[in-house]
Amino acid sequence: MAAPGPARAALRAPLCALLCLALAAAARGRPSPVKVLSDGMWRELLQDEWMVEFYAPWCPACENLQPEWEKFAEWGEDLGVNVAKVDVTEQPGLSGRFIITALPTIYHCKDGEFRRYQGARTKAAFINFISDEEWKSIEPVSSWFGPSSFLMSSMSALFKLSMWIRHGHGYLTENLGIPVWGSYAVFGLATLFLGMVLGLVMVFLADCICPSKRHRPPQLQPQPCPESAHLLKNRYEEQEADEGDISDDETEGREWSKRDSSPRGVRQRPVPSAAPLEKS
């Protein structure tokens, strides 16, 4: 009787392969516990507790983190924390709000406070960070640089604009067949046109807020009462009379000074003649 060992081994190999494929298909069919955030959902981070991973599909370190992040997300419901991820290549607004400079980057968000996670990237480290409240030892991001601040909102808009320009450049060069220098020329002309429009708008607003003297409405002068006008008239006449007297005195004084200084006006004293000498 032949030994059943080789036959069983031959049957076991395809069964294991089928079992692995079935498990993989079940895993693919099951929804991931990790939430995917977009630019329009960032205000959800201001409520409850979140752990958010910023990643890129081409990043090898991000790919190595995904299995641990998925396992940690399975514990999210028990820990009372929302586990999410953000693709920076598809959501530039969110990456601009958080100023993502390295990948992967993990942030802890709780009730509008944001802290950057810099611990170990394992499931156990993530669980201990939440369960032991290790995030309390990390200084939160300043309100000036928080995702909800005006500065970061402006940065988010700038990142969105840069992404839109890149998509527009790709559409012009790849879909329409325009050369690269032609695409640059289109964006340059568009920039000049927008600058002219913004300049005209600023000039119009400045003219409305601070109009020039030509366009200012005439200001009404206050009309004095009759009594004050009569008093002012009397004072004016008295001042003119005083000035006239002073001018007359000045002219008379000048005439007398001229007479005294002229050679004709100098009086000559008679010199007495010498007495005749008596003869002896």
Side-chain angles (χ1 to χ4, degrees):
M1 184 174 179
R8 289 182 180 179
L11 292 174
R12 190 177 298 171
L15 289 175
C16 290
L18 290 174
L19 181 60
C20 292
L21 291 175
L23 292 175
R28 285 194 296 267
R30 186 179 57 185
S32 174
V34 180
K35 299 180 180 180
V36 179
L37 295 179
S38 61
D39 292 337
M41 301 169 58
W42 76 271
R43 291 192 176 275
E44 296 183 8
L45 300 176
L46 302 178
Q47 300 176 358
D48 300 330
E49 189 173 7
W50 292 78
M51 285 286 284
V52 184
E53 174 205 2
F54 292 86
Y55 75 100
W58 46 262
C59 174
C62 300
E63 294 179 359
N64 296 331
L65 177 61
Q66 291 309 310
E68 297 293 328
W69 196 250
E70 293 283 343
K71 294 177 184 178
F72 168 60
E74 294 175 357
W75 285 74
E77 186 176 356
D78 298 333
L79 297 172
V81 62
N82 299 299
V83 182
K85 61 181 179 180
V86 177
D87 186 355
V88 297
T89 61
E90 298 294 335
Q91 310 298 331
L94 271 177
S95 62
R97 286 186 184 276
F98 287 86
I99 308 296
I100 303 302
T101 57
L103 293 174
T105 298
I106 300 173
Y107 270 92
H108 174 264
C109 314
K110 184 175 177 61
D111 299 333
E113 291 185 347
F114 302 87
R115 295 172 174 86
R116 185 171 179 177
Y117 175 82
Q118 295 180 345
R121 298 173 181 175
T122 61
K123 182 190 75 171
F126 296 145
I127 293 174
N128 293 333
F129 183 78
I130 299 299
S131 61
D132 298 342
E133 296 184 350
E134 296 178 1
W135 49 268
K136 290 184 177 180
S137 61
I138 302 175
E139 188 71 19
V141 178
S142 174
S143 59
W144 289 95
F145 299 98
S148 58
S149 65
F150 174 77
L151 181 61
M152 292 298 101
S153 298
S154 303
M155 190 65 67
S156 174
L158 183 62
F159 272 57
K160 289 181 181 179
L161 178 62
S162 64
M163 182 64 69
W164 182 84
I165 291 175
R166 189 177 71 176
H167 287 323
H169 176 72
Y171 177 79
L172 292 176
T173 54
E174 296 176 3
N175 296 349
L176 300 182
I178 298 176
V180 176
W181 63 267
S183 176
Y184 290 160
V186 170
F187 283 108
L189 293 175
T191 304
L192 291 176
F193 177 75
L194 290 177
M196 292 175 60
V197 172
L198 291 176
L200 291 174
V201 171
M202 292 179 66
V203 170
F204 176 75
L205 293 177
D207 196 18
C208 292
I209 296 173
C210 300
S212 59
K213 294 182 179 180
R214 296 179 180 178
H215 302 287
R216 288 180 182 175
Q219 298 180 356
L220 298 177
Q221 298 293 336
Q223 298 294 335
C225 60
E227 295 180 358
S228 60
H230 183 66
L231 292 174
L232 291 174
K233 183 178 181 181
N234 292 338
R235 288 182 182 178
Y236 182 72
E237 291 176 354
E238 290 177 359
Q239 289 179 0
E240 287 185 347
D242 294 340
E243 290 178 358
D245 294 341
I246 293 171
S247 61
D248 292 340
D249 294 340
E250 289 179 354
T251 52
E252 290 178 0
R254 290 175 183 174
E255 290 177 358
W256 281 107
S257 62
K258 288 180 180 180
R259 290 177 184 177
D260 292 340
S261 61
S262 60
R264 294 179 181 178
V266 178
R267 294 181 181 179
Q268 298 180 359
R269 297 181 181 178
V271 179
S273 59
L277 299 175
E278 294 182 359
K279 295 182 180 179
S280 57

